[in-house]
Amino acid sequence: MNQMFDPARPDALRAELATAPRKLLIDGAFHDAAQGQVLDVIDPATGRKFAEAAAGGAADIDAAVMAARCAFDDGRWTGLPPARRQDLLLRLADLIARDAEELALLETMDNGMPFMMARMGGAMGAVGMLRYFAGWATKIGGETITPSWPGEWLGYTRREPVGVVAAITPWNFPLAMEVGKLSAALAAGCTVVLKPAEQTPLSAVKLGALICEAGFPDGVVNIVTGTGAQAGAPLVAHPGIDKISFTGSTVVGQHILRESAGTMKRVTLELGGKSPTFILGDADLARAIPAAAQGIFGNAGQVCAAGSRLFVHESVFDQVMEGITERAQTLKIGAGLEPGTEMGPLVSAVQRDRVMGYIDAGRDAGVTLLTGGSTIGEGGYFVEPTVLVEPGADLSVTREEIFGPVLCAMRFGDDDLDALAARGNDSQYGLSSAIWTQDITAAHKLANRLRAGTVRINGSGPPDPALPLGGYKASGFGRENGRAGLEIFTELKTITVSLN
């Protein structure tokens, strides 16, 4: 597979990154952190530091929130005609498309994902998100309602921007997540303080430079890199924040809920998952097997909607396991910049050790390990694609989100759909699910019974900005993408007028 980038470009980027730490974007200008602290940026394919980024703290967060508040209150963004906001979002999309190669290289170097995933799913996915939500900027409206009161009345509603948004994003798809939150919030008329994951700050800093180049007014978007404790916590607690949009772990999401209660901030949470895939006996296995494998091994399993629990009808179980094992054993694993890489490393040593802890716990409990189960090499954070067969329903590998390339496979017999759905729903999570069958009636009935925000029947494409995304139960609440993903950044106001 051609990697489709200039072979000299990665070394040139590393050399440029080594000249100075990446800076914070606050009120239209780039700054060092107030306390002068920096984050080490590690290449997960080698385990070696190759860049630094400013480690913002409470003072930087306060400056960023104040800049966003001024930009919201003085009308430099909310007062712009909607068509002008649309034009700026479209301009930013064009700039990201222009610099897609550089953004994808940055994404691959500090996240580890294969370059083509970073380019198509990351950079070009961000372009699609911006272009979709740019169209919404001119289409936000309310409705007219006639009250049932004596006399003559006019009633109507308005959608108004919620205010200053704290957007806190994860490390698994950094650029796409950052732009997804920004594009919807900006289209709605909000201003933003973006806090990217500390492991993957580089694409966010580059995004900030493109926002400035696009001509966004100062203070509309502010970007503070830093740790969760030093930057994320002060951002969540800041009284100048009106809305928090967070994607990440359920544990951190629960903490954000507790912290936001005192000031009644609006909160949207897209959290963890332990998503089930069902392969029924009549499924098209030529499609279902590679899809199930990609659903857990794609991006090294670091996907909130990864299909980490696989339920297979006993009549085809051995055939499915043979196919998935073959795929696991033949995946080309390596650095994301190497030609042909299909699966890269985990993002950090911490994540590698966490994933191996789950695998070891399953092995210690006597679970059959069909393939994988070990780390790869000495330098980077690589873990073999791993398949565990029939782990007990009460084991941590079955119940907890691992966020790595680890599949738990289980048989089922001629269970009725209620029993099958109950097995799928036997989880604190409810983010996503997948069904493979040629019986469309059974597919719809099973889909209706699953407690999950998304159900994919017989395949799916990449994330689509028009399709709402979110979860049930501990997978969070609120929806991103689509109309719902725009309206979470608005308040609904009712106005009535007496015509008597």
Side-chain angles (χ1 to χ4, degrees):
M1 179 190 299
N2 276 328
Q3 293 297 75
M4 296 177 63
F5 60 81
D6 179 352
R9 189 70 175 121
D11 286 341
L13 262 180
R14 289 189 187 97
E16 193 276 327
L17 289 166
T19 60
R22 305 299 93 181
K23 297 186 177 186
L24 315 176
L25 175 61
I26 299 175
D27 204 15
F30 284 93
H31 305 270
D32 294 324
Q35 299 299 316
Q37 295 180 316
V38 296
L39 301 168
D40 289 342
V41 184
I42 306 298
D43 181 349
T46 65
R48 294 194 294 269
K49 171 184 168 180
F50 70 99
E52 292 179 337
D60 304 294
I61 290 294
D62 188 59
V65 174
M66 292 301 99
R69 172 57 60 193
C70 288
F72 183 82
D73 289 345
D74 69 15
R76 75 185 77 163
W77 186 245
T78 53
L80 281 183
R84 177 60 179 150
R85 292 204 300 271
Q86 172 183 270
D87 291 345
L88 285 167
L89 290 168
L90 292 174
R91 170 66 175 152
L92 180 57
D94 291 343
L95 293 176
I96 290 175
R98 182 198 69 189
D99 290 355
E101 176 182 293
E102 179 180 346
L103 283 160
L105 288 171
L106 291 171
E107 201 88 319
T108 295
M109 287 192 289
D110 72 353
N111 167 277
M113 70 175 67
F115 173 79
M116 287 307 296
M117 178 180 289
R119 184 182 181 107
M120 301 310 297
M124 298 314 296
V127 170
M129 192 71 72
L130 279 162
R131 290 176 175 163
Y132 173 81
F133 278 109
W136 272 109
T138 59
K139 299 171 185 65
I140 300 170
E143 59 181 342
T144 57
I145 303 164
T146 302
S148 297
W149 300 336
E152 191 169 355
W153 297 85
L154 170 64
Y156 64 96
T157 60
R158 283 171 48 89
R159 286 271 174 195
E160 299 181 349
V162 70
V164 178
V165 173
I168 305 174
T169 54
W171 44 255
N172 59 330
F173 287 99
L175 181 64
M177 296 288 190
E178 292 152 8
V179 171
K181 293 184 187 301
L182 284 178
S183 57
L186 294 172
C190 299
T191 59
V192 181
V193 178
L194 169 64
K195 194 293 192 180
E198 62 201 70
Q199 297 88 346
T200 54
L202 298 183
S203 58
V205 178
K206 173 64 177 178
L207 175 63
L210 296 180
I211 286 168
C212 294
E213 183 180 347
F216 282 76
D218 294 348
V220 171
V221 178
N222 306 271
I223 301 174
V224 180
T225 54
T227 66
Q230 293 181 325
L235 180 60
V236 168
H238 201 289
I241 293 295
D242 299 301
K243 160 87 180 179
I244 300 170
S245 177
F246 171 78
T247 298
S249 73
T250 295
V251 171
V252 176
Q254 290 168 335
H255 174 75
I256 287 173
L257 269 183
R258 289 191 293 269
E259 288 297 310
S260 63
T263 51
M264 294 298 291
K265 293 179 176 71
R266 277 54 177 149
V267 179
T268 300
L269 303 173
E270 199 265 281
L271 306 176
K274 193 72 175 177
S275 300
T277 295
F278 302 90
I279 299 179
L280 277 60
D282 66 344
D284 181 350
L285 299 185
R287 296 173 58 206
I289 290 172
Q294 178 64 22
I296 185 60
F297 302 140
N299 203 29
Q302 298 170 123
V303 180
C304 54
S308 53
R309 291 184 297 149
L310 178 63
F311 298 92
V312 184
H313 191 271
E314 59 190 6
S315 64
V316 294
F317 185 85
D318 290 344
Q319 185 178 351
V320 170
M321 289 300 96
E322 180 181 348
I324 290 179
T325 299
E326 180 183 3
R327 182 62 181 142
Q329 294 174 347
T330 56
L331 277 170
K332 181 173 181 182
I333 301 170
L337 297 180
E338 292 178 1
T341 291
E342 295 176 287
M343 191 181 99
L346 299 179
V347 75
S348 66
V350 170
Q351 186 63 16
R352 176 201 59 198
D353 295 346
R354 181 176 184 273
V355 170
M356 287 305 303
Y358 279 106
I359 294 172
D360 291 343
R363 187 188 281 117
D364 292 345
V367 178
T368 299
L369 196 152
L370 201 59
T371 189
S374 299
T375 59
I376 303 171
E378 297 296 327
Y381 310 133
F382 296 93
V383 171
E384 292 178 328
T386 299
V387 179
L388 303 172
V389 177
E390 298 290 359
D394 60 339
L395 295 182
S396 63
V397 290
T398 309
R399 304 204 67 79
E400 298 177 18
E401 183 180 45
I402 299 174
F403 225 61
V406 182
L407 179 67
C408 296
M410 292 143 295
R411 297 176 179 84
F412 66 89
D414 294 326
D415 308 43
D416 63 33
L417 294 179
D418 288 327
L420 190 55
R423 293 185 69 182
N425 291 334
D426 184 19
S427 170
Q428 65 172 318
Y429 299 108
L431 186 60
S432 187
S433 58
I435 301 167
W436 290 88
T437 178
Q438 297 185 61
D439 183 343
I440 198 64
T441 298
H444 279 293
K445 286 184 174 181
L446 182 54
N448 289 346
R449 287 161 173 75
L450 292 173
R451 299 279 295 166
T454 296
V455 182
R456 295 164 290 176
I457 298 174
N458 293 334
S460 69
D464 190 306
L467 294 174
L469 173 67
Y472 287 32
K473 301 185 284 186
S475 290
F477 52 78
R479 294 295 182 267
E480 297 186 331
N481 301 348
R483 178 191 290 270
L486 177 90
E487 291 183 348
I488 61 172
F489 293 105
T490 68
E491 295 280 18
L492 187 62
K493 178 182 288 183
T494 298
I495 300 172
T496 58
V497 183
S498 171
L499 302 179
N500 296 301

